[in-house]
Amino acid sequence: MELTGATSNQLQSLERAGLVVPERIWNGKKKPEVYYTWEQLLDIKAIRDLRENTSLQMIRRVLDYFDKCNIDGSLRDKRIVVVGDEVFWIKEDLSDLGYQISALKVGDKRNKGIGQYTLLVLPAFQEVVDDIWDAAENSTVIDFGEFRNKAKAERSRNPKAS
């Protein structure tokens, strides 16, 4: 629970759904000791992250799709993106990141277009950063000089953020 941020109820729900089933060792005790593998912990975390944007039923559909297509069913090593009611699997080649990404549609509430490649158009991260700077520079409310100084101070404290 500590490593994944999941509650005991969430872990039980994942087990009942058959998504992550831990090993139980009784050792003559009334309650068993429950063990998760490292891979299961990563899957739990991936499922929890996906649950912020989609339902457990949709996650089950995605995993069923992977199983049907003989694709490793773990979520821990896949880049999954939820856009509205649709779920896409983005392949590892991110050379076009920032402009367009080709992604395999692996889930949809209406079960339409599953297994089709789709082109997702996303703004580049630098474009987002530039938009914020432009908005600050053109704002009549924000003191741009103060904004710039705060941004420099933040970058010097946290160089990975820049």
Side-chain angles (χ1 to χ4, degrees), residues 105-151:
K105 188 173 184 181
V106 293
D108 184 296
K109 283 190 176 178
R110 295 168 302 285
N111 275 335
K112 297 201 180 206
I114 306 299
Q116 294 179 355
Y117 276 93
T118 304
L119 192 62
L120 299 177
V121 179
L122 304 171
F125 179 71
Q126 189 58 49
E127 288 176 25
V128 173
V129 171
D130 291 343
D131 286 347
I132 291 173
W133 278 105
D134 289 343
E137 192 171 17
N138 296 321
S139 174
T140 58
V141 177
I142 297 172
D143 177 353
F144 184 70
E146 183 180 333
F147 180 81
R148 179 178 289 176
N149 290 336
K150 285 182 179 180

Side-chain angles (χ1 to χ4, degrees), residues 92-100:
E92 288 302 310
D93 178 20
L94 298 177
S95 58
D96 55 357
L97 183 61
Y99 302 104
Q100 56 194 24

Side-chain angles (χ1 to χ4, degrees), residues 38-54:
W38 177 250
E39 289 79 14
Q40 287 175 317
L41 292 174
L42 296 174
D43 280 337
I44 292 166
K45 181 68 174 134
I47 290 168
R48 287 206 58 212
D49 290 347
L50 276 175
R51 284 287 289 127
E52 292 178 11
N53 298 301
T54 193

